[in-house]
Amino acid sequence: MRRYWQTLICFWGTALAMQAEYQVNLLIELVAIALSLGGSLFTLSLFFGPGYSLGGWNWSEALVVQGFYTTLDGIANAWLRPNLGSIVTYVREGTLDFVLLKPVDSQLWLSLRLMALSGFPEIALGLLLVGWGGLQSGAEASVQELLTVVLMLLSGTTILYSIWFLVAATSIWFVKMWNATEVLRTLLASGRYPISAYPVSLRLLFTFVLPVAFLTTVPAEVLLGRVVATPMLLLSLALACIFFLSTRAFWLFALRHYTSASS
Amino acid sequence: MRLFGLNCRIVAAILGSQYAHMLEYRAEIALWSLSGVLPLIMLSVWSSSGIRTTLDMNDVALDRYFLSAFLVRQFSVVWVVYAFEEDVLLGRLSPYLLQPLHPLWRYVAAHLSEQFTRLPFAAAIAALFLLIQPKVLWLPGPGTLLLAWLATWMAFAIAFLLQSLIAALCFWSEKASALERLLFIPFVFLSGLLTPLTAFPPAMQAVARWTPFPYLIDFPARVLAQRPVDWMAGFCAQLIWITLLLPLALCLWRAGVRRYSAMGA
């Protein structure tokens, strides 16, 4: 366990050193984050007006959902996108062989090797937005509820990671799957609005097939006290476990079909 | 005879070879077209929101607008900066520069053949949508169709030139594609991909009309969906943007090539 921590710290140290080389890019990323959040808030504001709400959520409540989405997007930008995005390259160029030979679990290496600095301001902004929206809508969250929300956010991250890894792992068969993760991003972008803003058929899809609802809407509902927290937390944790275990099983299954680049 | 360095045989050869290349990766292109369903997701949010009644469109018109936006987007996607960056980094650009043909033509051909490969997938998604919502179906006349085709094609030209500008910066910096994000974000919010432009507050609408973005999605989509639109002003704006961007892109490109010293040199 301690060895794994040391390796992770070493990984992220080198990743940060690598990014410090492109300082202008970091600045561009910061501007991009600000622009993108501004644009999202502007688009969200178009759905509100005197007497209008979005699927039964008022402006400040919808801000909480937007905040959770921004936080998750930040996590995705910090870890999921750089790491899981390069699995395809490893498979295509045959460098996955070197990963498999390392004395570290291959899934761990592939999932956590890199870290992008630009995700962190986004995570911070998202959490700020959650806090602001929560205060504005008069949510009175106890310590226990806050803890529940943090746990739900973690299990939401696990669900997101599992789906993403699952799709990226199929590149072992299809080789060129670069855009599959882009499809995923489009579908996950639907998480920036409360799930009740969608028609019933899409609501079912986003709850049971692709559980986007558990990533943003349900944590927001818990924070705002709109639902009973405990069953939702249990459901979310159960989903996270199921998704993670299936991903793990799928990766082990996929490795048995991996035949390197030249053989 | 050669026009802009092109003649019939060259056009046929590069289009043919690029089309064969794109067909090889058709699975990936199918996913590309699927990743363009964002306007349709936004449509579902718009049509179940209360504020829809304040828009200038009824239910069917809104459906047609977003379906048109989806189709326009499918045929004006541009990715030249990524392809170009990779070619510069891997040194593939050097042989292209030796050929008696402007390298940008090669990317134009790649985009056109990608659109052709994409056609059946985009049509399938649109057909599925119409199957679920049959009352949305409309048949634009040949005149409208021609105008919409022209507007989409001009939108593609503007987007291509804008990205070529950034791509030319690859001659100076090896990570110019990061700049593309700064172009993509205002494009997403101001082009009409997420909301019809008429939903903006008037001041914001006026600001947006001074950028090239509304002419990339909103204008062609309105022409295709047969919404009332000042198509004279729209085409003029598109033409102005093209005449503005074309010399700029070519100049920057020429300056870049003079600086270019191939990777590893």
Side-chain angles (χ1 to χ4, degrees), chain A residues 22 25 28-29 32 36 39-40 42-43 46-48 52 176 179 183 186 193 197-199 202, chain B residues 25 28 31-32 35 42 44-46 48 50-51 53-54 175 178 181 185 189 195 199-200 204:
Chain A
Y22 299 98
N25 273 21
I28 294 176
E29 287 289 336
S36 152
S40 307
F42 170 68
T43 308
L46 294 178
F47 290 103
F48 293 93
Y52 293 110
K176 211 164 175 241
N179 282 292
V183 180
T186 313
Y193 304 112
Y198 292 95
L202 278 183
Chain B
Y25 294 114
E28 195 187 12
L31 286 171
W32 269 64
S35 73
M42 288 307 292
S44 65
V45 178
W46 271 107
S48 31
I51 204 149
T53 47
T54 61
K175 282 208 169 182
R181 274 192 75 189
I185 292 167
F189 294 113
T195 51
F200 286 4
M204 200 63 199

mmCIF file of all heavy atoms in Angstrom, chain A residues 22 25 28-29 32 36 39-40 42-43 46-48 52 176 179 183 186 193 197-199 202, chain B residues 25 28 31-32 35 42 44-46 48 50-51 53-54 175 178 181 185 189 195 199-200 204:
data_model
loop_
_atom_site.group_PDB
_atom_site.id
_atom_site.type_symbol
_atom_site.label_atom_id
_atom_site.label_comp_id
_atom_site.label_asym_id
_atom_site.label_seq_id
_atom_site.Cartn_x
_atom_site.Cartn_y
_atom_site.Cartn_z
ATOM 1 N N TYR A 22 5.146 24.022 -20.483
ATOM 2 C CA TYR A 22 4.281 24.780 -21.393
ATOM 3 C C TYR A 22 3.446 25.750 -20.575
ATOM 4 O O TYR A 22 2.265 25.526 -20.345
ATOM 5 C CB TYR A 22 3.364 23.835 -22.170
ATOM 6 C CG TYR A 22 4.097 22.852 -23.025
ATOM 7 C CD1 TYR A 22 4.335 21.561 -22.591
ATOM 8 C CD2 TYR A 22 4.563 23.224 -24.280
ATOM 9 C CE1 TYR A 22 5.012 20.653 -23.371
ATOM 10 C CE2 TYR A 22 5.242 22.325 -25.065
ATOM 11 C CZ TYR A 22 5.465 21.045 -24.612
ATOM 12 O OH TYR A 22 6.132 20.146 -25.390
ATOM 13 N N ASN A 25 0.423 27.478 -22.267
ATOM 14 C CA ASN A 25 -0.735 26.597 -22.387
ATOM 15 C C ASN A 25 -1.580 26.605 -21.128
ATOM 16 O O ASN A 25 -2.800 26.534 -21.191
ATOM 17 C CB ASN A 25 -0.279 25.171 -22.672
ATOM 18 C CG ASN A 25 -0.096 24.930 -24.134
ATOM 19 O OD1 ASN A 25 0.067 25.890 -24.886
ATOM 20 N ND2 ASN A 25 -0.130 23.692 -24.546
ATOM 21 N N ILE A 28 -3.690 29.602 -21.249
ATOM 22 C CA ILE A 28 -4.784 29.399 -22.195
ATOM 23 C C ILE A 28 -5.883 28.560 -21.560
ATOM 24 O O ILE A 28 -7.071 28.858 -21.675
ATOM 25 C CB ILE A 28 -4.261 28.716 -23.474
ATOM 26 C CG1 ILE A 28 -3.314 29.652 -24.212
ATOM 27 C CG2 ILE A 28 -5.403 28.306 -24.381
ATOM 28 C CD1 ILE A 28 -2.674 29.029 -25.418
ATOM 29 N N GLU A 29 -5.462 27.512 -20.830
ATOM 30 C CA GLU A 29 -6.437 26.640 -20.175
ATOM 31 C C GLU A 29 -7.288 27.431 -19.184
ATOM 32 O O GLU A 29 -8.505 27.258 -19.108
ATOM 33 C CB GLU A 29 -5.711 25.517 -19.433
ATOM 34 C CG GLU A 29 -5.120 24.456 -20.340
ATOM 35 C CD GLU A 29 -6.182 23.590 -20.981
ATOM 36 O OE1 GLU A 29 -7.273 23.490 -20.416
ATOM 37 O OE2 GLU A 29 -5.923 23.036 -22.064
ATOM 38 N N ALA A 32 -9.743 29.419 -20.978
ATOM 39 C CA ALA A 32 -10.760 28.534 -21.535
ATOM 40 C C ALA A 32 -11.763 28.119 -20.458
ATOM 41 O O ALA A 32 -12.972 28.076 -20.720
ATOM 42 C CB ALA A 32 -10.103 27.305 -22.152
ATOM 43 N N SER A 36 -15.658 28.977 -20.626
ATOM 44 C CA SER A 36 -16.589 27.870 -20.729
ATOM 45 C C SER A 36 -17.624 27.927 -19.608
ATOM 46 O O SER A 36 -18.824 27.707 -19.835
ATOM 47 C CB SER A 36 -15.785 26.579 -20.719
ATOM 48 O OG SER A 36 -16.490 25.553 -20.213
ATOM 49 N N GLY A 39 -20.022 30.761 -20.398
ATOM 50 C CA GLY A 39 -20.966 30.350 -21.440
ATOM 51 C C GLY A 39 -22.037 29.425 -20.903
ATOM 52 O O GLY A 39 -23.223 29.584 -21.223
ATOM 53 N N SER A 40 -21.637 28.469 -20.043
ATOM 54 C CA SER A 40 -22.624 27.536 -19.489
ATOM 55 C C SER A 40 -23.645 28.275 -18.642
ATOM 56 O O SER A 40 -24.849 28.001 -18.727
ATOM 57 C CB SER A 40 -21.953 26.494 -18.607
ATOM 58 O OG SER A 40 -20.926 25.874 -19.272
ATOM 59 N N PHE A 42 -24.466 31.403 -18.871
ATOM 60 C CA PHE A 42 -25.297 32.219 -19.753
ATOM 61 C C PHE A 42 -26.403 31.373 -20.383
ATOM 62 O O PHE A 42 -27.579 31.739 -20.384
ATOM 63 C CB PHE A 42 -24.428 32.872 -20.825
ATOM 64 C CG PHE A 42 -25.203 33.532 -21.921
ATOM 65 C CD1 PHE A 42 -25.956 34.660 -21.653
ATOM 66 C CD2 PHE A 42 -25.190 33.015 -23.200
ATOM 67 C CE1 PHE A 42 -26.686 35.262 -22.658
ATOM 68 C CE2 PHE A 42 -25.914 33.612 -24.206
ATOM 69 C CZ PHE A 42 -26.670 34.739 -23.929
ATOM 70 N N THR A 43 -26.001 30.189 -20.911
ATOM 71 C CA THR A 43 -26.996 29.319 -21.539
ATOM 72 C C THR A 43 -28.041 28.880 -20.520
ATOM 73 O O THR A 43 -29.237 28.841 -20.819
ATOM 74 C CB THR A 43 -26.309 28.089 -22.147
ATOM 75 O OG1 THR A 43 -25.246 28.529 -22.973
ATOM 76 C CG2 THR A 43 -27.268 27.275 -22.960
ATOM 77 N N LEU A 46 -30.750 31.387 -19.823
ATOM 78 C CA LEU A 46 -31.768 31.584 -20.847
ATOM 79 C C LEU A 46 -33.051 30.829 -20.525
ATOM 80 O O LEU A 46 -34.122 31.175 -21.008
ATOM 81 C CB LEU A 46 -31.248 31.120 -22.212
ATOM 82 C CG LEU A 46 -30.097 31.918 -22.801
ATOM 83 C CD1 LEU A 46 -29.676 31.310 -24.112
ATOM 84 C CD2 LEU A 46 -30.507 33.358 -23.012
ATOM 85 N N PHE A 47 -32.925 29.775 -19.700
ATOM 86 C CA PHE A 47 -34.109 28.968 -19.390
ATOM 87 C C PHE A 47 -34.931 29.582 -18.270
ATOM 88 O O PHE A 47 -35.999 29.094 -17.952
ATOM 89 C CB PHE A 47 -33.685 27.547 -18.989
ATOM 90 C CG PHE A 47 -33.146 26.756 -20.121
ATOM 91 C CD1 PHE A 47 -31.788 26.548 -20.272
ATOM 92 C CD2 PHE A 47 -34.006 26.212 -21.064
ATOM 93 C CE1 PHE A 47 -31.299 25.819 -21.331
ATOM 94 C CE2 PHE A 47 -33.514 25.487 -22.128
ATOM 95 C CZ PHE A 47 -32.165 25.292 -22.260
ATOM 96 N N PHE A 48 -34.385 30.619 -17.622
ATOM 97 C CA PHE A 48 -35.099 31.222 -16.506
ATOM 98 C C PHE A 48 -35.574 32.608 -16.886
ATOM 99 O O PHE A 48 -34.961 33.290 -17.690
ATOM 100 C CB PHE A 48 -34.190 31.298 -15.280
ATOM 101 C CG PHE A 48 -33.845 29.948 -14.746
ATOM 102 C CD1 PHE A 48 -32.686 29.305 -15.162
ATOM 103 C CD2 PHE A 48 -34.680 29.305 -13.865
ATOM 104 C CE1 PHE A 48 -32.378 28.051 -14.697
ATOM 105 C CE2 PHE A 48 -34.377 28.047 -13.396
ATOM 106 C CZ PHE A 48 -33.221 27.421 -13.817
ATOM 107 N N TYR A 52 -40.545 31.507 -14.659
ATOM 108 C CA TYR A 52 -40.171 30.262 -15.330
ATOM 109 C C TYR A 52 -39.157 29.485 -14.511
ATOM 110 O O TYR A 52 -38.287 30.064 -13.860
ATOM 111 C CB TYR A 52 -39.577 30.537 -16.708
ATOM 112 C CG TYR A 52 -40.571 31.094 -17.662
ATOM 113 C CD1 TYR A 52 -40.485 32.409 -18.092
ATOM 114 C CD2 TYR A 52 -41.617 30.305 -18.133
ATOM 115 C CE1 TYR A 52 -41.412 32.940 -18.976
ATOM 116 C CE2 TYR A 52 -42.546 30.825 -19.013
ATOM 117 C CZ TYR A 52 -42.442 32.136 -19.427
ATOM 118 O OH TYR A 52 -43.350 32.633 -20.285
ATOM 119 N N LYS A 176 -8.695 1.739 -33.170
ATOM 120 C CA LYS A 176 -8.849 3.185 -33.309
ATOM 121 C C LYS A 176 -10.190 3.593 -32.690
ATOM 122 O O LYS A 176 -11.219 3.531 -33.322
ATOM 123 C CB LYS A 176 -8.788 3.583 -34.783
ATOM 124 C CG LYS A 176 -8.201 4.964 -34.969
ATOM 125 C CD LYS A 176 -7.770 5.216 -36.398
ATOM 126 C CE LYS A 176 -7.305 6.652 -36.543
ATOM 127 N NZ LYS A 176 -8.061 7.431 -37.486
ATOM 128 N N ASN A 179 -12.488 8.489 -30.761
ATOM 129 C CA ASN A 179 -13.672 9.316 -30.653
ATOM 130 C C ASN A 179 -14.757 8.739 -29.786
ATOM 131 O O ASN A 179 -15.723 9.405 -29.486
ATOM 132 C CB ASN A 179 -14.225 9.594 -32.034
ATOM 133 C CG ASN A 179 -13.416 10.649 -32.693
ATOM 134 O OD1 ASN A 179 -13.454 11.776 -32.274
ATOM 135 N ND2 ASN A 179 -12.645 10.275 -33.680
ATOM 136 N N VAL A 183 -17.972 10.714 -27.704
ATOM 137 C CA VAL A 183 -19.404 10.429 -27.643
ATOM 138 C C VAL A 183 -19.858 10.466 -26.199
ATOM 139 O O VAL A 183 -20.889 11.035 -25.836
ATOM 140 C CB VAL A 183 -19.712 9.050 -28.251
ATOM 141 C CG1 VAL A 183 -21.188 8.770 -28.175
ATOM 142 C CG2 VAL A 183 -19.246 8.987 -29.670
ATOM 143 N N THR A 186 -20.284 13.967 -24.846
ATOM 144 C CA THR A 186 -21.529 14.609 -25.267
ATOM 145 C C THR A 186 -22.684 14.161 -24.382
ATOM 146 O O THR A 186 -23.505 14.965 -23.946
ATOM 147 C CB THR A 186 -21.844 14.237 -26.720
ATOM 148 O OG1 THR A 186 -20.676 14.389 -27.489
ATOM 149 C CG2 THR A 186 -22.933 15.097 -27.277
ATOM 150 N N TYR A 193 -27.849 19.850 -16.594
ATOM 151 C CA TYR A 193 -29.186 20.291 -16.232
ATOM 152 C C TYR A 193 -29.828 19.240 -15.335
ATOM 153 O O TYR A 193 -29.511 18.051 -15.467
ATOM 154 C CB TYR A 193 -30.024 20.504 -17.492
ATOM 155 C CG TYR A 193 -29.382 21.467 -18.445
ATOM 156 C CD1 TYR A 193 -28.887 21.055 -19.677
ATOM 157 C CD2 TYR A 193 -29.216 22.803 -18.090
ATOM 158 C CE1 TYR A 193 -28.255 21.947 -20.526
ATOM 159 C CE2 TYR A 193 -28.592 23.695 -18.924
ATOM 160 C CZ TYR A 193 -28.107 23.258 -20.145
ATOM 161 O OH TYR A 193 -27.475 24.131 -20.980
ATOM 162 N N ALA A 197 -35.481 18.084 -16.200
ATOM 163 C CA ALA A 197 -35.657 18.996 -17.326
ATOM 164 C C ALA A 197 -35.812 18.234 -18.636
ATOM 165 O O ALA A 197 -36.112 18.827 -19.660
ATOM 166 C CB ALA A 197 -34.478 19.959 -17.428
ATOM 167 N N TYR A 198 -35.611 16.908 -18.593
ATOM 168 C CA TYR A 198 -35.664 16.111 -19.830
ATOM 169 C C TYR A 198 -37.013 15.411 -19.958
ATOM 170 O O TYR A 198 -37.690 15.177 -18.949
ATOM 171 C CB TYR A 198 -34.544 15.074 -19.822
ATOM 172 C CG TYR A 198 -33.178 15.688 -19.938
ATOM 173 C CD1 TYR A 198 -32.423 15.960 -18.805
ATOM 174 C CD2 TYR A 198 -32.652 16.024 -21.168
ATOM 175 C CE1 TYR A 198 -31.173 16.548 -18.900
ATOM 176 C CE2 TYR A 198 -31.411 16.607 -21.277
ATOM 177 C CZ TYR A 198 -30.676 16.859 -20.143
ATOM 178 O OH TYR A 198 -29.456 17.452 -20.250
ATOM 179 N N PRO A 199 -37.397 15.037 -21.168
ATOM 180 C CA PRO A 199 -38.604 14.234 -21.323
ATOM 181 C C PRO A 199 -38.420 12.844 -20.699
ATOM 182 O O PRO A 199 -37.282 12.397 -20.483
ATOM 183 C CB PRO A 199 -38.775 14.136 -22.841
ATOM 184 C CG PRO A 199 -37.556 14.691 -23.452
ATOM 185 C CD PRO A 199 -36.800 15.429 -22.428
ATOM 186 N N LEU A 202 -35.863 10.120 -22.012
ATOM 187 C CA LEU A 202 -34.447 10.409 -21.765
ATOM 188 C C LEU A 202 -34.119 10.299 -20.277
ATOM 189 O O LEU A 202 -33.037 9.880 -19.900
ATOM 190 C CB LEU A 202 -34.098 11.816 -22.253
ATOM 191 C CG LEU A 202 -33.807 11.958 -23.734
ATOM 192 C CD1 LEU A 202 -33.421 13.379 -24.059
ATOM 193 C CD2 LEU A 202 -32.678 11.024 -24.153
ATOM 194 N N TYR B 25 -11.640 3.982 -42.117
ATOM 195 C CA TYR B 25 -11.919 4.285 -40.713
ATOM 196 C C TYR B 25 -13.382 4.671 -40.510
ATOM 197 O O TYR B 25 -13.688 5.562 -39.746
ATOM 198 C CB TYR B 25 -11.006 5.414 -40.226
ATOM 199 C CG TYR B 25 -9.567 4.999 -40.190
ATOM 200 C CD1 TYR B 25 -8.634 5.573 -41.020
ATOM 201 C CD2 TYR B 25 -9.164 3.994 -39.318
ATOM 202 C CE1 TYR B 25 -7.310 5.164 -40.993
ATOM 203 C CE2 TYR B 25 -7.846 3.578 -39.281
ATOM 204 C CZ TYR B 25 -6.928 4.171 -40.119
ATOM 205 O OH TYR B 25 -5.639 3.761 -40.083
ATOM 206 N N GLU B 28 -14.910 4.849 -36.972
ATOM 207 C CA GLU B 28 -14.600 6.040 -36.196
ATOM 208 C C GLU B 28 -15.479 7.207 -36.626
ATOM 209 O O GLU B 28 -15.954 7.986 -35.793
ATOM 210 C CB GLU B 28 -13.122 6.390 -36.391
ATOM 211 C CG GLU B 28 -12.622 7.365 -35.380
ATOM 212 C CD GLU B 28 -11.210 7.825 -35.675
ATOM 213 O OE1 GLU B 28 -10.711 7.560 -36.775
ATOM 214 O OE2 GLU B 28 -10.634 8.461 -34.791
ATOM 215 N N LEU B 31 -18.848 7.144 -35.124
ATOM 216 C CA LEU B 31 -18.856 7.675 -33.758
ATOM 217 C C LEU B 31 -18.795 9.194 -33.765
ATOM 218 O O LEU B 31 -19.422 9.845 -32.937
ATOM 219 C CB LEU B 31 -17.672 7.114 -32.975
ATOM 220 C CG LEU B 31 -17.851 5.664 -32.577
ATOM 221 C CD1 LEU B 31 -16.572 5.097 -32.011
ATOM 222 C CD2 LEU B 31 -18.965 5.552 -31.559
ATOM 223 N N TRP B 32 -18.059 9.742 -34.719
ATOM 224 C CA TRP B 32 -18.007 11.200 -34.848
ATOM 225 C C TRP B 32 -19.411 11.748 -35.068
ATOM 226 O O TRP B 32 -19.797 12.727 -34.447
ATOM 227 C CB TRP B 32 -17.157 11.609 -36.050
ATOM 228 C CG TRP B 32 -15.732 11.829 -35.789
ATOM 229 C CD1 TRP B 32 -14.842 10.879 -35.380
ATOM 230 C CD2 TRP B 32 -15.012 13.045 -35.929
ATOM 231 N NE1 TRP B 32 -13.601 11.458 -35.269
ATOM 232 C CE2 TRP B 32 -13.683 12.781 -35.596
ATOM 233 C CE3 TRP B 32 -15.370 14.335 -36.316
ATOM 234 C CZ2 TRP B 32 -12.699 13.747 -35.638
ATOM 235 C CZ3 TRP B 32 -14.391 15.300 -36.356
ATOM 236 C CH2 TRP B 32 -13.065 15.000 -36.014
ATOM 237 N N SER B 35 -21.377 11.691 -31.995
ATOM 238 C CA SER B 35 -21.009 12.678 -30.985
ATOM 239 C C SER B 35 -21.581 14.052 -31.303
ATOM 240 O O SER B 35 -21.477 14.960 -30.495
ATOM 241 C CB SER B 35 -19.491 12.757 -30.836
ATOM 242 O OG SER B 35 -18.946 13.409 -31.949
ATOM 243 N N MET B 42 -30.152 19.138 -26.562
ATOM 244 C CA MET B 42 -30.592 20.464 -26.155
ATOM 245 C C MET B 42 -32.040 20.707 -26.571
ATOM 246 O O MET B 42 -32.787 21.380 -25.863
ATOM 247 C CB MET B 42 -29.696 21.537 -26.775
ATOM 248 C CG MET B 42 -28.329 21.625 -26.183
ATOM 249 S SD MET B 42 -28.324 21.804 -24.400
ATOM 250 C CE MET B 42 -29.012 23.438 -24.207
ATOM 251 N N SER B 44 -34.378 18.537 -26.516
ATOM 252 C CA SER B 44 -35.279 17.931 -25.544
ATOM 253 C C SER B 44 -35.404 18.803 -24.298
ATOM 254 O O SER B 44 -36.468 18.873 -23.694
ATOM 255 C CB SER B 44 -34.814 16.522 -25.198
ATOM 256 O OG SER B 44 -33.577 16.575 -24.563
ATOM 257 N N VAL B 45 -34.304 19.488 -23.902
ATOM 258 C CA VAL B 45 -34.408 20.395 -22.753
ATOM 259 C C VAL B 45 -35.293 21.583 -23.109
ATOM 260 O O VAL B 45 -36.181 21.969 -22.347
ATOM 261 C CB VAL B 45 -33.017 20.902 -22.321
ATOM 262 C CG1 VAL B 45 -33.157 21.864 -21.160
ATOM 263 C CG2 VAL B 45 -32.132 19.754 -21.917
ATOM 264 N N TRP B 46 -35.067 22.143 -24.310
ATOM 265 C CA TRP B 46 -35.854 23.309 -24.718
ATOM 266 C C TRP B 46 -37.322 22.973 -24.810
ATOM 267 O O TRP B 46 -38.168 23.726 -24.342
ATOM 268 C CB TRP B 46 -35.366 23.846 -26.071
ATOM 269 C CG TRP B 46 -34.294 24.848 -25.925
ATOM 270 C CD1 TRP B 46 -32.979 24.663 -26.203
ATOM 271 C CD2 TRP B 46 -34.410 26.189 -25.440
ATOM 272 N NE1 TRP B 46 -32.273 25.796 -25.915
ATOM 273 C CE2 TRP B 46 -33.127 26.754 -25.455
ATOM 274 C CE3 TRP B 46 -35.475 26.957 -24.996
ATOM 275 C CZ2 TRP B 46 -32.872 28.062 -25.039
ATOM 276 C CZ3 TRP B 46 -35.233 28.260 -24.585
ATOM 277 C CH2 TRP B 46 -33.937 28.808 -24.608
ATOM 278 N N SER B 48 -39.082 20.744 -23.336
ATOM 279 C CA SER B 48 -39.848 20.506 -22.109
ATOM 280 C C SER B 48 -39.724 21.654 -21.106
ATOM 281 O O SER B 48 -40.232 21.537 -20.001
ATOM 282 C CB SER B 48 -39.464 19.161 -21.473
ATOM 283 O OG SER B 48 -38.145 18.825 -21.720
ATOM 284 N N GLY B 50 -40.464 25.552 -19.695
ATOM 285 C CA GLY B 50 -41.614 26.445 -19.756
ATOM 286 C C GLY B 50 -41.370 27.656 -20.628
ATOM 287 O O GLY B 50 -42.280 28.171 -21.277
ATOM 288 N N ILE B 51 -40.125 28.102 -20.686
ATOM 289 C CA ILE B 51 -39.811 29.361 -21.347
ATOM 290 C C ILE B 51 -39.902 29.259 -22.871
ATOM 291 O O ILE B 51 -39.832 30.252 -23.577
ATOM 292 C CB ILE B 51 -38.420 29.849 -20.900
ATOM 293 C CG1 ILE B 51 -38.287 31.360 -21.060
ATOM 294 C CG2 ILE B 51 -37.321 29.145 -21.664
ATOM 295 C CD1 ILE B 51 -37.386 31.978 -20.054
ATOM 296 N N THR B 53 -42.324 28.950 -24.674
ATOM 297 C CA THR B 53 -43.442 29.714 -25.247
ATOM 298 C C THR B 53 -43.040 31.128 -25.635
ATOM 299 O O THR B 53 -43.700 31.752 -26.452
ATOM 300 C CB THR B 53 -44.598 29.787 -24.237
ATOM 301 O OG1 THR B 53 -44.049 30.152 -22.972
ATOM 302 C CG2 THR B 53 -45.303 28.461 -24.113
ATOM 303 N N THR B 54 -41.923 31.635 -25.059
ATOM 304 C CA THR B 54 -41.512 32.990 -25.404
ATOM 305 C C THR B 54 -40.647 33.027 -26.664
ATOM 306 O O THR B 54 -40.295 34.095 -27.135
ATOM 307 C CB THR B 54 -40.718 33.622 -24.252
ATOM 308 O OG1 THR B 54 -39.549 32.820 -24.039
ATOM 309 C CG2 THR B 54 -41.505 33.665 -22.974
ATOM 310 N N LYS B 175 2.448 23.362 -29.824
ATOM 311 C CA LYS B 175 1.159 22.967 -29.237
ATOM 312 C C LYS B 175 0.087 23.992 -29.562
ATOM 313 O O LYS B 175 -0.607 24.480 -28.679
ATOM 314 C CB LYS B 175 1.303 22.780 -27.729
ATOM 315 C CG LYS B 175 1.952 21.465 -27.370
ATOM 316 C CD LYS B 175 1.515 20.980 -26.016
ATOM 317 C CE LYS B 175 1.958 19.540 -25.799
ATOM 318 N NZ LYS B 175 1.518 19.002 -24.539
ATOM 319 N N ALA B 178 -3.905 23.856 -28.605
ATOM 320 C CA ALA B 178 -4.507 24.329 -27.359
ATOM 321 C C ALA B 178 -5.303 25.601 -27.609
ATOM 322 O O ALA B 178 -6.333 25.833 -26.993
ATOM 323 C CB ALA B 178 -3.430 24.572 -26.317
ATOM 324 N N ARG B 181 -9.155 25.558 -28.525
ATOM 325 C CA ARG B 181 -10.211 25.561 -27.497
ATOM 326 C C ARG B 181 -10.797 26.955 -27.332
ATOM 327 O O ARG B 181 -11.985 27.114 -27.101
ATOM 328 C CB ARG B 181 -9.641 25.107 -26.153
ATOM 329 C CG ARG B 181 -9.640 23.619 -25.989
ATOM 330 C CD ARG B 181 -9.359 23.242 -24.557
ATOM 331 N NE ARG B 181 -10.503 23.455 -23.692
ATOM 332 C CZ ARG B 181 -10.441 23.367 -22.366
ATOM 333 N NH1 ARG B 181 -9.291 23.095 -21.796
ATOM 334 N NH2 ARG B 181 -11.502 23.560 -21.641
ATOM 335 N N ILE B 185 -14.929 27.281 -27.759
ATOM 336 C CA ILE B 185 -15.887 27.595 -26.695
ATOM 337 C C ILE B 185 -16.861 28.695 -27.118
ATOM 338 O O ILE B 185 -18.073 28.491 -27.040
ATOM 339 C CB ILE B 185 -15.148 27.927 -25.386
ATOM 340 C CG1 ILE B 185 -14.481 26.658 -24.869
ATOM 341 C CG2 ILE B 185 -16.084 28.476 -24.343
ATOM 342 C CD1 ILE B 185 -13.483 26.872 -23.790
ATOM 343 N N PHE B 189 -21.201 28.353 -27.796
ATOM 344 C CA PHE B 189 -22.248 29.125 -27.136
ATOM 345 C C PHE B 189 -22.901 30.157 -28.046
ATOM 346 O O PHE B 189 -24.047 30.518 -27.832
ATOM 347 C CB PHE B 189 -21.693 29.785 -25.877
ATOM 348 C CG PHE B 189 -21.303 28.780 -24.836
ATOM 349 C CD1 PHE B 189 -19.984 28.591 -24.480
ATOM 350 C CD2 PHE B 189 -22.261 27.988 -24.230
ATOM 351 C CE1 PHE B 189 -19.631 27.648 -23.538
ATOM 352 C CE2 PHE B 189 -21.919 27.042 -23.293
ATOM 353 C CZ PHE B 189 -20.597 26.873 -22.944
ATOM 354 N N THR B 195 -28.740 26.890 -28.453
ATOM 355 C CA THR B 195 -29.990 27.643 -28.372
ATOM 356 C C THR B 195 -30.168 28.389 -29.681
ATOM 357 O O THR B 195 -29.188 28.828 -30.259
ATOM 358 C CB THR B 195 -29.911 28.718 -27.276
ATOM 359 O OG1 THR B 195 -28.723 29.467 -27.491
ATOM 360 C CG2 THR B 195 -29.887 28.132 -25.906
ATOM 361 N N ALA B 199 -33.222 33.357 -28.866
ATOM 362 C CA ALA B 199 -33.505 33.228 -27.433
ATOM 363 C C ALA B 199 -32.596 34.127 -26.612
ATOM 364 O O ALA B 199 -32.833 34.332 -25.427
ATOM 365 C CB ALA B 199 -33.328 31.774 -26.990
ATOM 366 N N PHE B 200 -31.540 34.673 -27.235
ATOM 367 C CA PHE B 200 -30.621 35.552 -26.514
ATOM 368 C C PHE B 200 -31.306 36.882 -26.191
ATOM 369 O O PHE B 200 -32.171 37.321 -26.949
ATOM 370 C CB PHE B 200 -29.392 35.868 -27.381
ATOM 371 C CG PHE B 200 -28.427 34.743 -27.528
ATOM 372 C CD1 PHE B 200 -28.683 33.497 -26.986
ATOM 373 C CD2 PHE B 200 -27.232 34.929 -28.216
ATOM 374 C CE1 PHE B 200 -27.790 32.457 -27.126
ATOM 375 C CE2 PHE B 200 -26.326 33.890 -28.357
ATOM 376 C CZ PHE B 200 -26.609 32.654 -27.823
ATOM 377 N N MET B 204 -27.127 40.767 -26.403
ATOM 378 C CA MET B 204 -26.236 39.635 -26.660
ATOM 379 C C MET B 204 -26.341 39.219 -28.128
ATOM 380 O O MET B 204 -25.342 38.854 -28.747
ATOM 381 C CB MET B 204 -26.650 38.495 -25.736
ATOM 382 C CG MET B 204 -25.606 37.466 -25.517
ATOM 383 S SD MET B 204 -24.154 38.139 -24.712
ATOM 384 C CE MET B 204 -22.990 36.867 -25.150
#
